[in-house]
Amino acid sequence: MTRAPLLYGIAGSVALTALASAPADSLSRPTAPETAGTAAAAARAAAAGIDFGDCPQAEELPPSVECGTVRVPLDYAKPDGRQIELTVSRGRATGDPSDRQGALVYNPGGPGGSGMYFPALADSPEWKRVAAAYDLVGYAPRGVGRSAPLSCQDPGEFAKAPTTAPTHPDKAYKQQRVARAKAYAQGCARNAGDALRHYTTLDNARDLDVLRAALGERRLTFMGASYGTYFGAVYATLFPDHVRRMVFDSAVDPDPQQVWYRNNLDQSVAFERRWADFRAWIARHHTTYALGRTPAQVQRSYDKARDELAREPAGGKVGPGELQAAFLRAGYYDDYWPGRANALAEYLRGRPQELVDIAARPEASAAADENSQAVYTAVECNDASWPTRFETWDRDSTLLSGIAPFATWDNAWMNLPCAFWPAPRQRPVDVRVPEGKLPPTLILSAERDAATPHRGAVELHRRLSGSTLVTERDAGTHGIAFGSNDCVNGHVEAYLLDGKLPGRSAECEAHEGPEPSPGGGSSTGPQEP
């Protein structure tokens, strides 16, 4: 679930130790042809550069942002073979030219997220000082948006609503989902053909090095969030000499034994904790929302809404599945809490429109949403081995749903196509950089993050020698750089602008949580990865 749907691991649940993990494999070693192919592609890109110009209207970017493309090999073992184009956006550094530090490349995660919007953040107060020193560069990774787009299913079918989301599915429902997962995997293979195997984290890391060269950067300054931290860490493993500075915001657990099956199991437990946090917050504000004075009472209010939506979907578009998805997103961002709580309260008072507004799937984004899901699936399925028998998924998810019912089965259904994946799977990269091989890097983590639980940041810190870990204590928002916490923002700014880090580790106290808003509050929240 590493998109906003996507990611992972929480510390030591006894129940999790009983779950079967993905089959163990030896670790991935890049082959000589792929290494040479990456060097050849990077050399070509350095010579060609990027011809930046006006952005296509479809990108909906301000005039200050310019766009271009960079060519990369589909298969790095055949660098002179089929080429694909990745779309790139850039906002030039706004400060004095003598203070310019180069390009800052950003990836928002996914897999399947596009960073094309990133340069448009230059005018926001949080980014202004960094935008003065750096060209802000975003891009759409392979398969995403206009970058050789991948599709696995008709967007209309993908966005069909309303849907169900049973917390404890019966045998018949499980059989339906298995059939759908098989059909989805087959659709990916049918649409992509032989190219399907080339949507991987390793290829994303190689593409990033070609982009670095095309931008004219000898060494890369990079910020990755969520899944962007994982392929950024793979990049650091493959190309440590090409790194200048790297920020890993909300880090994925890179342990090869975690990627990706166990990471998703652990993530479901972490979302249960965040759902408990959200219910406790609603209960504290009972006078505003009247959904219950205790978390258990709030759960009963939520369950009542699920049952009513199963009988009669709101607006004909919002059933239990859409309700679940809307409230799952609240696990990513505290800023969602007031709007979600108010929409639930309004629905139970007989006024469903606010719930429809936040939970109905927008038809206009169906194609983009399906594309994002297709890339997510292809990358995660290709990256590692997964259990190939549904009996394993069924056993693990049934056991896990006993302690973490909120997200477990949704997470399983999202990833189940990987059980039936037709392309060869890679073995996970052993993310690890020896002492002295990598410049100091900065890792950020919220202690109660559900999408990328804190344990993953600790593991990445252990594997990247010389890294610094900054922890936002008792906080759970996913993606904390240049958000609401001045302490976190100060560390990021000091690092990017001056290369300064607070030793091996530092802590920041949580920023204040959201205020209740009886008028609906933030119904959209921040941009999701």
Side-chain angles (χ1 to χ4, degrees), residues 274 334 444-449 454 458 469-477 480 485 487-488 505-513:
R274 282 295 282 162
D334 292 2
L444 310 175
S445 177
E447 194 174 35
R448 298 180 72 80
D449 187 348
H454 182 63
V458 173
L469 173 60
V470 172
T471 301
E472 186 180 18
R473 304 290 296 182
D474 199 32
T477 287
I480 59 176
N485 193 308
C487 172
V488 172
S505 63
E507 294 184 353
C508 293
E509 292 303 314
H511 65 279
E512 291 186 11

Side-chain angles (χ1 to χ4, degrees), residues 299-382:
Q299 180 71 57
R300 286 194 287 273
S301 292
Y302 181 81
D303 291 343
K304 179 181 179 183
R306 282 174 60 103
D307 293 343
E308 291 184 4
L309 289 167
R311 290 191 293 270
E312 184 179 352
K317 300 177 180 179
V318 176
E322 288 69 40
L323 177 74
Q324 173 77 6
F327 277 76
L328 180 68
R329 287 193 288 275
Y332 286 84
Y333 309 112
D334 292 2
D335 286 349
Y336 279 106
W337 290 7
R340 265 43 178 185
N342 198 69
L344 180 62
E346 286 291 285
Y347 172 76
L348 291 173
R349 294 177 188 129
R351 296 189 288 267
Q353 189 56 50
E354 189 172 340
L355 182 63
V356 173
D357 290 344
I358 68 168
R361 301 186 183 194
E363 295 179 6
S365 67
D369 292 344
E370 189 279 327
N371 168 241
S372 181
Q373 179 66 40
V375 177
Y376 166 81
T377 305
V379 171
E380 291 215 353
C381 295
N382 282 332

Side-chain angles (χ1 to χ4, degrees), residues 63-439:
S64 59
V65 179
E66 51 191 2
C67 293
T69 60
V70 60
R71 289 168 64 83
V72 301
L74 175 68
D75 181 355
Y76 278 94
K78 301 175 181 177
D80 297 321
R82 178 182 167 188
Q83 306 290 302
I84 58 177
E85 289 190 341
L86 309 184
T87 60
V88 184
S89 59
R90 180 179 69 180
R92 293 183 181 272
T94 59
D96 191 296
S98 63
D99 295 329
R100 181 180 176 275
Q101 297 195 40
L104 170 61
V105 180
Y106 178 75
N107 178 272
S114 172
M116 289 292 288
Y117 67 87
F118 176 57
L121 299 179
D123 291 333
S124 64
E126 296 82 5
W127 284 95
K128 260 195 168 171
R129 290 193 65 206
V130 171
Y134 288 93
D135 297 344
L136 301 189
V137 176
Y139 72 107
R142 61 171 60 200
V144 178
R146 296 182 296 114
S147 296
L150 178 66
S151 175
C152 294
Q153 187 180 25
D154 176 79
E157 184 68 22
F158 174 80
K160 188 179 291 185
T163 59
T164 59
T167 303
H168 300 290
D170 60 21
K171 183 177 179 180
Y173 185 80
K174 291 174 184 177
Q175 290 174 340
Q176 292 175 18
R177 295 307 300 243
V178 167
R180 285 167 58 179
K182 289 179 178 177
Y184 189 85
Q186 292 165 1
C188 296
R190 181 173 57 252
N191 291 350
D194 291 341
L196 186 61
R197 70 181 65 193
H198 299 297
Y199 295 93
T200 69
T201 293
L202 273 169
D203 284 320
N204 282 335
R206 295 171 182 133
D207 289 347
L208 185 58
D209 200 53
V210 176
L211 174 58
R212 171 200 60 79
L215 291 167
E217 300 291 323
R218 187 174 67 85
R219 294 192 298 159
L220 175 72
T221 303
F222 174 79
M223 178 182 286
S226 196
Y227 166 74
T229 68
Y230 180 61
F231 88 77
V234 171
Y235 181 93
T237 300
L238 298 181
F239 309 106
D241 294 340
H242 296 180
V243 173
R244 178 178 178 267
R245 292 175 189 161
M246 298 190 94
V247 179
F248 302 93
D249 184 4
S250 304
V252 174
D253 190 335
D255 184 341
Q257 297 299 317
Q258 292 289 119
V259 177
W260 287 105
Y261 180 70
R262 180 169 287 278
N263 264 341
N264 281 285
L265 291 173
D266 289 355
Q267 186 191 47
S268 295
V269 178
F271 267 100
E272 192 68 30
R273 182 171 65 179
R274 282 295 282 162
W275 174 228
D277 290 346
F278 184 23
R279 287 185 289 120
W281 179 87
I282 294 174
R284 288 197 299 273
H285 299 294
H286 177 73
T287 55
T288 300
Y289 300 114
L291 290 169
R293 298 182 183 278
T294 67
Q297 290 175 349
V298 174
Q299 180 71 57
R300 286 194 287 273
S301 292
Y302 181 81
D303 291 343
K304 179 181 179 183
R306 282 174 60 103
D307 293 343
E308 291 184 4
L309 289 167
R311 290 191 293 270
E312 184 179 352
K317 300 177 180 179
V318 176
E322 288 69 40
L323 177 74
Q324 173 77 6
F327 277 76
L328 180 68
R329 287 193 288 275
Y332 286 84
Y333 309 112
D334 292 2
D335 286 349
Y336 279 106
W337 290 7
R340 265 43 178 185
N342 198 69
L344 180 62
E346 286 291 285
Y347 172 76
L348 291 173
R349 294 177 188 129
R351 296 189 288 267
Q353 189 56 50
E354 189 172 340
L355 182 63
V356 173
D357 290 344
I358 68 168
R361 301 186 183 194
E363 295 179 6
S365 67
D369 292 344
E370 189 279 327
N371 168 241
S372 181
Q373 179 66 40
V375 177
Y376 166 81
T377 305
V379 171
E380 291 215 353
C381 295
N382 282 332
D383 267 3
S385 56
W386 294 74
T388 57
R389 298 174 65 251
F390 177 66
E391 289 77 7
T392 302
W393 297 69
D394 191 12
R395 182 187 66 239
D396 291 351
S397 295
T398 299
L399 177 60
L400 188 59
S401 66
I403 60 170
F406 182 67
T408 292
W409 280 107
D410 275 0
N411 213 346
W413 304 137
M414 184 174 182
N415 293 286
L416 188 57
C418 295
F420 313 108
W421 198 242
R425 292 99 180 289
Q426 296 183 347
R427 297 182 179 93
V429 174
D430 186 18
V431 168
R432 194 181 302 275
V433 183
E435 186 79 34
K437 292 292 186 181
L438 183 70

